[in-house]
Amino acid sequence: MLSLNELIQQRFGLPTTVDQTAPNKTLTDMLAHRSCRQYKADPIPEELLQVLLAAAFSAPSKSDLQQACVIRINNRDKQQHIADLSPHTAWIANAPVFMVWCGDSRRIRRLAAWRNHPFANDHLDAFMNAAVDAGIAMQSFIVAAESVGLGCCPVSEIRDHIDALSTALELPQWVFPVAGLCVGRPVEAGRISLRLPLEVTVHTDRYDDSAMIEHVADYDRRREAIEKTKPDQQRFVAQFGVSHDYGWSENRTRQYAVPARTDFGRYIREQGFDLS
Amino acid sequence: MLSLNELIQQRFGLPTTVDQTAPNKTLTDMLAHRSCRQYKADPIPEELLQVLLAAAFSAPSKSDLQQACVIRINNRDKQQHIADLSPHTAWIANAPVFMVWCGDSRRIRRLAAWRNHPFANDHLDAFMNAAVDAGIAMQSFIVAAESVGLGCCPVSEIRDHIDALSTALELPQWVFPVAGLCVGRPVEAGRISLRLPLEVTVHTDRYDDSAMIEHVADYDRRREAIEKTKPDQQRFVAQFGVSHDYGWSENRTRQYAVPARTDFGRYIREQGFDLS
């Protein structure tokens, strides 16, 4: 087993001066997290799934409002249909377990009517709380699943065809998809994805990104040194050409240079949310 | 150590027929999660915090965009100031570690300018992705911290005075707080908070809440049987009177019957976000 130091060094691509904290399996599994997109055909036992779902919904939720839910897709035709909606994430079709994590602001609104109280919090904060609750529960599921050797891949691309997805899941007012999640036994160990150094993501007392660009330039170089992007693997070459200093930042800024999911706000409003 | 079955029974307040999956410490810690609001004065070693932060930022992030950041509050005066903003969550002041998890859509926008690309994704989807990334990273931190015996309490109430908080943290455009997090060594074991049964939160193939109200009524009774809410502990008694069948649903629908954080959308727009 790698030490925590070695795992942190691998994840952040930097030598670490962290003292040797006693490793425990939770920390080593979390530091070794990797996305898994290829799964063995083995089904996941139902009793194990129940344990993982119980762990997921044991996570904190905003004000104990419990505004997350998940739709498990057991019908293979429906799973294939959702996979077909997201051609860039075709591995959805072959995942032994596929589910969609949703923000659920419907339950508390129905309960308000049942308890005969007005619902007086129709605004952006309420929407965000439900979305974040869903993310928290999904991440808990991922950590739980990885602790028993399963591999996961969250998929936000399923929101690319939000109306078709929402129809397939029969989502009523005030429920909306946050991410899909594929789960199965990994075919291969997979690769650890380098993360930005903590100097970029952890601030002290005040937000300070004065050295961010330099840190990212170094990070781009470290990632490329480990896994060189070939010219024909660059994103949107037809539009942006071949970059000679391609890296994470060029890849991700090209991605966001092209509009995506501009209809999500319209969908969320149609689901009944007031975002003022 | 409790078995997974016993932990699930305790968490959901229901007998469980789950087969005996081999327990591992990650799962038992997650199923035994509880919020911790009273901390021993012991400081948390810096090297341990670095490990926990590394674990937190090893979590998945939407499209590898890494749109979360955290502000650690090391200055005790600033911590006291933020505690003073949230009188209902006074334990912030005494937490050995206090931090604020933020959505960060600023980094990718600054990088777009640096890489000379337009930023073409100014819409609700981009806002939600940053918020969810922050929730995912925070939840990873919590699981990591609990694995080494620390206790945590996420605090969304810090958003009640969003302008003062944002000023204190010197948050620039496109960065916004999602939740505070208190961390320390627990004074006492704390109590496991009952969760809605998985029949309510886990759907199969399609969203179906036709039996939700009955399940919640049972859940209300189970929670009250374990921890009776005294009449003077009911929420907003002056406004709503004393309920004779008080429970979780009455508590939470009273909470949302009164407007809170109606200014969050205004703040987010002022931070530069287009939510259309």
Side-chain angles (χ1 to χ4, degrees):
Chain A
M1 193 197 276
L2 292 176
S3 73
L4 295 181
N5 265 346
E6 288 164 325
L7 281 164
I8 293 174
Q9 186 154 349
Q10 196 172 344
R11 170 71 68 191
F12 295 91
L14 291 168
T16 167
T17 56
V18 169
D19 280 1
Q20 189 59 51
T21 299
N24 71 46
K25 189 173 171 300
T26 304
L27 292 176
T28 54
D29 282 351
M30 291 179 77
L31 288 165
H33 159 77
R34 55 208 90 186
S35 280
C36 169
R37 299 189 177 90
Q38 277 193 293
Y39 315 96
K40 294 180 183 167
D42 321 17
I44 309 303
E46 182 59 30
E47 53 268 35
L48 175 58
L49 262 180
Q50 290 296 318
V51 172
L52 302 180
L53 288 164
F57 285 103
S58 298
S61 100
K62 191 271 174 202
S63 290
D64 192 21
L65 282 160
Q66 307 183 56
Q67 295 184 93
C69 72
V70 66
I71 323 281
R72 291 175 54 183
I73 309 301
N74 287 0
N75 180 309
R76 300 301 293 194
D77 291 341
K78 190 167 281 194
Q79 184 168 348
Q80 184 65 54
H81 171 61
I82 296 172
D84 291 343
L85 293 175
S86 308
H88 298 298
T89 52
W91 58 85
I92 288 175
N94 299 318
V97 171
F98 177 67
M99 47 180 81
V100 179
W101 293 87
C102 298
D104 188 335
S105 172
R106 175 181 177 83
R107 195 182 302 130
I108 187 67
R109 294 172 199 244
R110 285 194 61 205
L111 291 172
W114 177 54
R115 300 297 307 186
N116 205 21
H117 291 303
F119 183 83
N121 283 278
D122 211 356
H123 46 50
L124 184 68
D125 191 88
F127 165 76
M128 185 178 89
N129 289 332
V132 170
D133 264 14
I136 285 174
M138 179 179 74
Q139 173 60 5
S140 295
F141 186 96
I142 293 171
V143 173
E146 291 180 347
S147 84
V148 296
L150 297 177
C152 299
C153 183
V155 185
S156 59
E157 285 81 355
I158 60 165
R159 298 202 310 269
D160 283 356
H161 298 276
I162 190 69
D163 295 309
L165 175 69
S166 191
T167 300
L169 303 176
E170 300 182 34
L171 299 187
Q173 293 261 295
W174 304 307
V175 183
F176 59 98
V178 172
L181 189 68
C182 303
V183 187
R185 300 207 178 279
V187 166
E188 52 186 15
R191 195 170 29 229
I192 283 186
S193 175
L194 242 64
R195 285 285 185 262
L196 290 166
L198 297 181
E199 286 86 345
V200 171
T201 46
V202 181
H203 304 254
T204 303
D205 290 322
R206 54 186 283 275
Y207 188 94
D208 176 8
D209 65 350
S210 52
M212 185 272 286
I213 299 279
E214 289 163 56
H215 282 303
V216 170
D218 287 343
Y219 171 70
D220 283 345
R221 285 189 284 269
R222 282 197 302 277
R223 276 183 79 134
E224 285 295 303
I226 290 171
E227 185 188 2
K228 178 80 187 152
T229 309
K230 294 181 190 132
D232 64 351
Q233 293 171 326
Q234 293 189 10
R235 188 184 294 265
F236 303 147
V237 168
Q239 187 168 353
F240 298 111
V242 170
S243 163
H244 297 293
D245 63 342
Y246 196 86
W248 173 81
S249 65
E250 178 66 17
N251 180 14
R252 296 304 160 190
T253 55
R254 285 185 181 193
Q255 177 177 352
Y256 261 6
V258 173
R261 288 183 225 146
T262 54
D263 61 348
F264 188 67
R266 186 264 311 151
Y267 165 76
I268 290 295
R269 287 177 175 84
E270 284 176 9
Q271 287 301 89
F273 287 93
D274 183 339
L275 302 177
S276 57
Chain B
M1 194 198 274
L2 292 176
S3 73
L4 295 180
N5 265 345
E6 288 164 324
L7 282 163
I8 293 173
Q9 186 154 349
Q10 195 171 345
R11 170 71 67 192
F12 295 90
L14 291 167
T16 166
T17 57
V18 169
D19 280 0
Q20 189 60 51
T21 298
N24 71 45
K25 189 175 171 299
T26 304
L27 291 175
T28 55
D29 282 351
M30 291 178 77
L31 287 165
H33 159 76
R34 55 208 88 184
S35 279
C36 169
R37 299 190 176 89
Q38 276 192 294
Y39 314 97
K40 294 181 183 168
D42 322 15
I44 310 303
E46 181 58 31
E47 53 268 35
L48 175 59
L49 263 179
Q50 290 296 317
V51 172
L52 303 179
L53 288 165
F57 285 103
S58 297
S61 100
K62 191 271 173 202
S63 290
D64 191 22
L65 282 161
Q66 307 183 55
Q67 297 184 91
C69 71
V70 66
I71 323 280
R72 291 176 55 183
I73 310 299
N74 288 359
N75 180 309
R76 301 300 293 194
D77 291 339
K78 190 167 282 195
Q79 184 169 348
Q80 184 65 54
H81 171 62
I82 296 171
D84 292 342
L85 293 176
S86 307
H88 299 298
T89 53
W91 58 84
I92 288 175
N94 299 319
V97 171
F98 178 66
M99 47 181 81
V100 179
W101 293 86
C102 298
D104 188 335
S105 173
R106 175 180 177 84
R107 195 183 302 131
I108 188 67
R109 294 173 198 244
R110 285 195 62 206
L111 291 172
W114 177 53
R115 299 298 306 186
N116 205 22
H117 291 304
F119 183 83
N121 283 279
D122 211 357
H123 46 51
L124 184 68
D125 190 89
F127 165 75
M128 185 178 88
N129 289 331
V132 171
D133 265 15
I136 285 174
M138 180 179 74
Q139 173 60 5
S140 295
F141 186 96
I142 293 170
V143 173
E146 290 180 347
S147 84
V148 296
L150 297 177
C152 299
C153 182
V155 185
S156 58
E157 285 82 354
I158 60 164
R159 297 202 311 269
D160 283 355
H161 297 275
I162 189 70
D163 295 310
L165 175 69
S166 192
T167 299
L169 303 176
E170 300 181 35
L171 299 187
Q173 292 262 294
W174 304 308
V175 183
F176 59 98
V178 172
L181 189 69
C182 302
V183 187
R185 301 207 176 279
V187 166
E188 52 186 14
R191 195 170 31 229
I192 283 186
S193 176
L194 242 63
R195 285 284 185 262
L196 290 165
L198 296 182
E199 286 86 345
V200 171
T201 46
V202 180
H203 305 254
T204 301
D205 289 323
R206 53 185 285 272
Y207 189 94
D208 176 8
D209 64 350
S210 53
M212 186 272 286
I213 298 279
E214 290 163 55
H215 281 303
V216 170
D218 288 343
Y219 171 70
D220 283 345
R221 285 188 284 270
R222 283 197 301 277
R223 276 185 79 136
E224 285 295 302
I226 290 172
E227 185 189 3
K228 179 80 186 152
T229 309
K230 295 181 189 131
D232 65 352
Q233 293 170 328
Q234 293 188 11
R235 189 183 294 265
F236 304 147
V237 168
Q239 186 166 354
F240 298 110
V242 170
S243 163
H244 297 293
D245 63 342
Y246 196 85
W248 173 81
S249 65
E250 178 66 18
N251 179 14
R252 296 303 160 191
T253 55
R254 285 185 181 194
Q255 176 177 354
Y256 261 7
V258 173
R261 287 184 225 146
T262 55
D263 60 348
F264 189 66
R266 186 265 310 151
Y267 164 77
I268 289 294
R269 287 176 175 85
E270 285 177 8
Q271 287 300 90
F273 286 93
D274 183 339
L275 301 178
S276 57

